[in-house]
Amino acid sequence: MSDTSTETRRPWILAAFLIVTGALGWWASFSLTIDKIAVLTAPDAVLDCNFSVLVQCGKNLESWQGSVFGFPNPLIGLGGFVAPIAVGVALLAGARFANWFWIAFNVGIAGALAFVIWLISQSIYSINTLCPWCMLVWSVTIPLFWVVTVRNAKGGVFGSRLTRIGTVLEPWVLPITVACYLTIAVLAQVRLDVLRTIF
Amino acid sequence: MPDERQTKNQRREAAREAARLEREKQKRRDRLRRWLIPTVSTVVVLAIAAAIVWAFVSNQAAPQSAAGPRNMISDGILFTSDQQGGVAPVETGAIQPSSTPTPTEDGDDGLAHIVTYVDFSCPACQGFEATYADTIESLVASGLATLEVHPIAILDSHYTTPYSTRSNNVGACVADLAPDSFLDVMSAMYVSQPAEGTAGLTSSEIIDVVHGAGLDDADVDACIKSNHFEPWLTAATDRTTSDADLIAPGAQGFSTPTIVVNGEVWDRSGDIMDFIQSHITATPGSD
């Protein structure tokens, strides 16, 4: 009896996580969009996100990687980050989704992660900057991917064989996320000598 | 009997309830165990990362100065009588980046204007200091002479670390931040001078020497650690060693200590005090 009640309890932690990370990602995308417009209207505009040669977003926005699909990347985030917010709010309201919905959601987030990994490599190895808003997008996309993927595995979305793996991995989502952050930090440090530049 | 039955039922209920509570407890314990290792390991990894960053940042030497030290506008620090039986440094600005020193204007006032070019790591300068520093200082105190000390670094190759640069940077740091302590610190640096051919003193050993001379100032310590005035020191050393007018009569080239009194370079013959006295035409207390 108590088991069933736990199952049907609303996953409010997951919901809150989706809403917060989605909102942060959307806010970062929105800020980048505004900055992009500022640069387009006045090429020598002073952007709030430009702190130094290393920490800036102007160079990222002007790079070809910043509009890799022919339009500014932040527009993707402006649309995409609405999804986790919507799913989070729906979960809070007690919604239950079909398997295909979770799979589609997971595929979308995996795509976001793949895109973000590519952007990280371009920023560190080609553009040689750390762009504050971009980094906020990276840092929400990474845990979004792990939380949703592990949640889906545990919930049997990918079949019953993966539920065990999901259950085992669940407590490891935080360490995995931290490990991803640290990996990026180390790569950036090795390539850009961030610490010497900032301090 | 109905009563007995009820008791039996109640007992069964109680047992069920106890078992349920035990199961709940076990579940909570399992959950704690499942989450404990990942959470603790996260905290540990973050703590290690923070420690590494902190160690790196705190070991980061402060940026060096492009400008020279204050109170050394002539590349040297000038001391005159404080009119109360002591000596006092003359405060000046600093040589600005890519600017050149402003030589001290010595009036034709009957005083001996003594300029010394010394290297804190040079044994001959140590000997000069030990023999004459007190006499010269009292001469300055009495108002018969002025003393301008130019620390330069020419002996880096005599140590296994650039001790010459590191030790003379101390002079610049003290002139910049605590000019009143300059002569005391210089004296202490000579007393603690390491033997040539060694690594010289470490930065923390140098700081101990400076503290021992009565100057305990975190800014000075930081300035010493970062070799803050190394760019100026290198430039001042180049200016000094390339000045043909500073080669002592009869010498092959420049060396330390070089003593100049009223523009005349001491030829290192005889007693320096006689040489200095010969330039004094004023009488004590005539000021």
Side-chain angles (χ1 to χ4, degrees):
Chain A
M1 285 269 277
S2 63
D3 277 349
T4 356
S5 77
T6 339
E7 290 301 328
T8 51
R9 213 169 54 190
R10 281 172 200 170
W12 67 270
I13 296 182
L14 175 67
F17 170 80
L18 290 175
I19 293 169
V20 169
T21 49
L24 285 174
W26 189 88
W27 179 45
S29 305
F30 180 76
S31 304
L32 279 170
T33 307
I34 296 295
D35 285 340
K36 180 70 186 177
I37 293 170
V39 171
L40 287 178
T41 43
D44 49 358
V46 180
L47 301 181
D48 291 341
C49 58
N50 288 348
F51 293 99
S52 66
V53 181
L54 177 67
V55 181
Q56 60 157 308
C57 58
K59 231 170 121 186
N60 296 56
L61 285 171
E62 286 165 40
S63 66
W64 66 264
Q65 292 97 331
S67 308
V68 69
F69 299 114
F71 57 90
N73 297 341
L75 293 179
I76 303 172
L78 222 43
F81 279 114
V82 171
I85 300 175
V87 172
V89 173
L91 286 173
L92 271 192
R96 317 201 34 126
F97 298 112
N99 252 6
W100 68 261
F101 183 92
W102 280 116
I103 291 173
F105 187 45
N106 214 147
V107 166
I109 288 179
L113 182 73
F115 190 35
V116 155
I117 290 173
W118 182 77
L119 288 172
I120 292 172
S121 68
Q122 291 304 307
S123 194
I124 293 179
Y125 290 99
S126 169
I127 310 174
N128 298 325
T129 58
L130 292 175
C131 141
W133 294 124
C134 313
M135 288 193 291
L136 182 54
V137 171
W138 310 347
S139 30
V140 297
T141 305
I142 291 166
L144 262 175
F145 172 79
W146 291 111
V147 166
V148 170
T149 305
V150 168
R151 180 260 163 230
N152 282 348
K154 190 189 175 202
V157 169
F158 307 127
S160 50
R161 266 186 301 171
L162 288 180
T163 45
R164 226 192 111 57
I165 296 178
T167 312
V168 172
L169 276 184
E170 193 186 22
W172 288 95
V173 165
L174 178 65
I176 290 171
T177 303
V178 168
C180 292
Y181 288 167
L182 287 180
T183 306
I184 298 168
V186 168
L187 290 178
Q189 174 58 28
V190 168
R191 165 79 186 182
L192 304 172
D193 204 355
V194 182
L195 290 175
R196 204 181 299 278
T197 316
I198 292 182
F199 295 103
Chain B
M1 277 175 284
D3 271 348
E4 214 174 59
R5 261 181 91 127
Q6 209 171 12
T7 337
K8 229 182 223 168
N9 267 346
Q10 274 172 345
R11 267 199 220 115
R12 202 183 297 137
E13 278 298 309
R16 264 195 202 138
E17 180 64 11
R20 196 184 65 80
L21 285 177
E22 182 55 35
R23 270 204 311 278
E24 291 263 294
K25 220 160 132 199
Q26 182 63 36
K27 240 173 84 182
R28 240 176 286 140
R29 231 178 287 137
D30 282 351
R31 186 160 355 133
L32 181 71
R33 220 181 33 218
R34 224 156 55 82
W35 285 84
L36 191 66
I37 297 173
T39 311
V40 169
S41 59
T42 308
V43 172
V44 170
V45 166
L46 279 178
I48 292 172
I52 292 173
V53 170
W54 184 81
F56 187 94
V57 170
S58 59
N59 276 328
Q60 193 72 24
Q64 293 184 325
S65 167
R70 281 169 294 177
N71 310 317
M72 290 187 117
I73 193 80
S74 65
D75 272 352
I77 177 167
L78 177 65
F79 292 90
T80 61
S81 167
D82 64 2
Q83 311 296 344
Q84 289 156 19
V87 303
V90 174
E91 296 195 3
T92 73
I95 301 173
Q96 291 312 302
S98 67
S99 183
T100 50
T102 311
T104 308
E105 294 283 343
D106 290 328
D108 189 8
D109 49 12
L111 306 191
H113 296 288
I114 308 165
V115 182
T116 66
Y117 296 85
V118 293
D119 184 325
F120 286 13
S121 70
C122 126
C125 306
Q126 181 192 40
F128 180 84
E129 169 88 8
T131 315
Y132 298 113
D134 289 344
T135 321
I136 292 177
E137 198 174 326
S138 56
L139 210 53
V140 174
S142 67
L144 290 174
T146 64
L147 173 65
E148 185 174 319
V149 183
H150 290 234
I152 55 170
I154 58 172
L155 295 178
D156 275 341
S157 61
H158 290 218
Y159 293 87
T160 57
T161 70
Y163 180 69
S164 182
T165 297
R166 296 194 292 116
S167 59
N168 287 288
N169 170 70
V170 174
C173 291
V174 176
D176 184 72
L177 295 159
D180 288 326
S181 300
F182 183 89
L183 293 175
D184 290 341
V185 169
M186 178 168 74
S187 172
M189 287 297 289
Y190 281 130
V191 170
S192 310
Q193 191 182 75
E196 287 184 297
T198 65
L201 306 181
T202 63
S203 291
S204 23
E205 284 168 343
I206 292 176
I207 289 169
D208 287 342
V209 170
V210 173
H211 289 182
L215 176 58
D216 194 337
D217 181 324
D219 291 341
V220 173
D221 297 352
C223 176
I224 291 170
K225 264 191 215 152
S226 66
N227 269 332
H228 191 66
F229 289 112
E230 184 179 353
W232 164 80
L233 186 60
T234 306
T237 303
D238 286 346
R239 283 192 283 264
T240 304
T241 54
S242 62
D243 186 348
D245 292 342
L246 289 178
I247 298 174
Q252 297 300 312
F254 179 85
S255 64
T256 52
T258 286
I259 318 296
V260 181
V261 180
N262 292 357
E264 192 183 340
V265 182
W266 179 44
D267 63 2
R268 297 183 178 129
S269 68
D271 191 329
I272 180 94
M273 293 320 296
D274 296 339
F275 177 70
I276 292 171
Q277 287 292 349
S278 71
H279 282 94
I280 302 177
T281 53
T283 48
S286 68
D287 249 354

